[in-house]
Amino acid sequence: MELKKLILPGFLALIMIISVFGIIIGGINDDVEVKEFKGFKYIKTNQGQGGWAVKMGQSTFIFSYAPEELSTLKIPLVTFNDFNSAEKVYLSVNPEEEIGNIVNILTSGIIPFIAAPVITACSKDHEKCSNAPIKNCDDATASSKVISVEGTKETRITYINNCLSINLEPDNTQKYMEGLLFNMLGLNP
């Protein structure tokens, strides 16, 4: 009976000793790729399709593209502070254009960080917009900013006179929307 009581503790001790020798002989796995870019530390991740994770405050952001690549995109250096100073922000879409998943990316990755209320709007009068206000860049002011999403055959993001205008080809949507978030977080000062 005494022998049976010693088997489990002996087995656990053996596992612990073997683990310690494994660490001493083989070391700890340091295969994690870390890079610093403009004062921020990025860690290569294998989550999903992989990417680069950066921690800011209590939040971790994962980008599919490397920070050096996102920093070279022609995207204005607009930040969340530019929108948080407004009383409200209109998210205006063109109901006649194919905008792909731009709005999905905005509502999941960017809009949650805008402190001002975000109101869905349309850029022109249309039957799909019977209950939505009509807003476009001409309506943007310091207190009522506009994010205008248009589907086009060209890739262009601008921030002019309190209006963030997003025009993206479908093939560039993910990359440029990540670049926009990258800039809005202040990762590309």
Side-chain angles (χ1 to χ4, degrees):
M1 189 71 152
E2 285 296 315
L3 185 61
K4 287 185 179 180
K5 287 184 180 178
L6 295 175
I7 292 176
L8 182 60
F11 179 69
L12 292 174
L14 181 64
I15 290 175
M16 290 173 57
I17 292 169
I18 291 172
S19 297
V20 169
F21 280 124
I23 290 173
I24 291 171
I25 294 170
I28 297 173
N29 186 358
D30 286 333
D31 289 344
V32 176
E33 186 178 348
V34 178
K35 68 169 65 175
E36 193 161 318
F37 184 77
K38 295 190 177 185
F40 295 95
K41 192 175 287 188
Y42 295 83
I43 299 171
K44 183 75 170 155
T45 176
N46 292 324
Q47 289 180 324
Q49 296 177 351
W52 293 94
V54 61
K55 188 167 177 83
M56 297 187 70
Q58 300 298 320
S59 301
T60 300
F61 298 90
I62 299 175
F63 296 95
S64 301
Y65 298 90
E68 307 85 19
E69 192 172 352
L70 294 174
S71 71
T72 62
L73 298 175
K74 293 187 180 197
I75 297 174
L77 294 175
V78 59
T79 67
F80 284 110
N81 289 337
D82 293 316
F83 288 93
N84 291 339
S85 64
E87 293 175 19
K88 57 187 158 193
V89 176
Y90 290 97
L91 174 58
S92 179
V93 297
N94 183 339
E96 297 173 349
E97 293 282 342
E98 177 61 41
I99 56 173
N101 63 348
I102 297 172
V103 172
N104 292 338
I105 295 170
L106 279 168
T107 56
S108 64
I110 292 178
I111 289 177
F113 299 99
I114 296 177
V118 178
I119 302 160
T120 303
C122 288
S123 61
K124 54 178 70 173
D125 196 12
H126 193 273
E127 63 188 40
K128 294 179 184 177
C129 302
S130 60
N131 294 325
I134 308 301
K135 296 289 179 180
N136 57 46
C137 287
D138 293 337
D139 301 310
T141 66
S143 62
S144 295
K145 305 213 175 184
V146 174
I147 300 173
S148 174
V149 178
E150 304 279 335
T152 65
K153 302 266 189 252
E154 65 178 317
T155 295
R156 185 181 74 244
I157 298 177
T158 60
Y159 185 68
I160 301 170
N161 296 327
N162 301 303
C163 181
L164 179 65
S165 178
I166 302 171
N167 303 277
L168 297 175
E169 297 173 278
D171 292 347
N172 291 325
T173 299
Q174 183 69 32
K175 186 176 192 177
Y176 275 78
M177 292 305 291
E178 282 192 21
L180 178 61
L181 177 61
F182 186 78
N183 284 358
M184 291 186 84
L185 288 168
L187 294 170
N188 192 23

